[in-house]
Amino acid sequence: VNMSKPLTVREVCEHYQISRATLYNWMRDRGFPRGAIGPGGRRFSQDSIERFDRRFNAKEKTNASFQ
């Protein structure tokens, strides 16, 4: 079980170097994980994002990881 902390919209955007609008377009058009919406806003599991990266090869930096 991956106990990594869920990522915020801001952290995901920083990881991919994209805007919030692009992130929401990816969710709509490219099957990017929708995450979970809670009291603190939307959160994404690192596992779901890593699966997206493997499936779509979305990142140019193949060894990039979340800090």
Side-chain angles (χ1 to χ4, degrees), residues 18-66:
I18 59 174
S19 68
R20 289 173 69 93
T22 298
L23 176 61
Y24 285 95
N25 287 340
W26 283 12
M27 284 189 274
R28 185 187 68 226
D29 300 334
R30 296 179 63 186
F32 194 85
R34 295 195 171 277
I37 300 174
R42 190 178 297 267
R43 296 290 187 274
F44 302 86
S45 75
Q46 292 187 28
D47 286 343
S48 68
I49 292 171
E50 289 166 3
R51 281 193 300 274
F52 176 82
D53 284 348
R54 284 193 302 272
R55 185 170 171 201
F56 293 99
N57 196 21
K59 287 285 296 166
E60 291 180 16
K61 301 176 215 165
T62 57
N63 60 356
S65 63
F66 292 103

Side-chain angles (χ1 to χ4, degrees), residues 5-18 20 23 42-44 46 49 66-67:
K5 119 181 144 50
L7 301 163
T8 64
V9 169
R10 175 179 295 201
E11 290 169 326
V12 172
C13 289
E14 288 174 358
H15 176 71
Y16 288 106
Q17 299 178 348
I18 59 174
R20 289 173 69 93
L23 176 61
R42 190 178 297 267
R43 296 290 187 274
F44 302 86
Q46 292 187 28
I49 292 171
F66 292 103
Q67 299 301 321

